[in-house]
Amino acid sequence: MIDCLRTILWLVCVLVGCGMESANPLTPSVAPVGIQNDCELASLRCSRCHSVARITQSRLDSLGWQRYVHRMRLMPESGIASRDEEPITRCLVFRAAGTAGLARLQQGNP
């Protein structure tokens, strides 16, 4: 009887766990696939030194995010490679200002 209850409990835990895969908190729900990929990278790199809450609660504009990511990339412990700077910036700018912010960033007018 106890083995049967353990098996049922294990099965319930497995089934509940399958439906509880958490989304990346940095990725806005309306983000295009490319931005979702950029946000996965941002989550991986930025969470090395910052809490996700600190990142999601920051109120920087497009230029502010561009400068901040560049400054963080220069920190050796950040793990941000030069090739990571642009996608991380795109993610954070999209979070802050949506597609309009990305357009300004691409035009060189963050």
Side-chain angles (χ1 to χ4, degrees):
M1 181 69 167
I2 292 177
D3 287 334
C4 183
L5 289 173
R6 283 184 188 157
T7 302
I8 291 171
L9 182 59
W10 175 83
L11 184 59
V12 168
C13 290
V14 168
L15 292 174
V16 170
C18 289
M20 295 182 64
E21 185 176 344
S22 62
N24 177 357
L26 285 183
T27 306
S29 60
V30 296
V33 173
I35 297 295
Q36 291 176 18
N37 294 336
D38 294 343
C39 289
E40 286 296 323
L41 178 64
S43 180
L44 180 67
R45 297 292 188 263
C46 299
S47 65
R48 289 182 68 169
C49 301
H50 304 289
S51 70
V52 173
R54 179 174 175 185
I55 299 163
T56 59
Q57 293 171 5
S58 294
R59 300 291 175 233
L60 298 174
D61 62 7
S62 301
L63 180 59
W65 279 121
Q66 189 175 40
R67 289 177 176 164
Y68 191 80
V69 172
H70 179 73
R71 194 172 82 232
M72 292 300 104
R73 183 182 67 77
L74 298 177
M75 305 262 183
E77 65 276 3
S78 74
I80 300 173
S82 58
R83 69 180 176 276
D84 297 340
E85 187 172 344
E86 188 177 330
I88 291 171
T89 300
R90 274 194 309 262
C91 167
L92 299 174
V93 167
F94 184 85
R95 284 187 53 76
T99 53
L102 288 178
R104 286 192 302 272
L105 192 64
Q106 291 173 343
Q107 295 169 355
N109 301 315

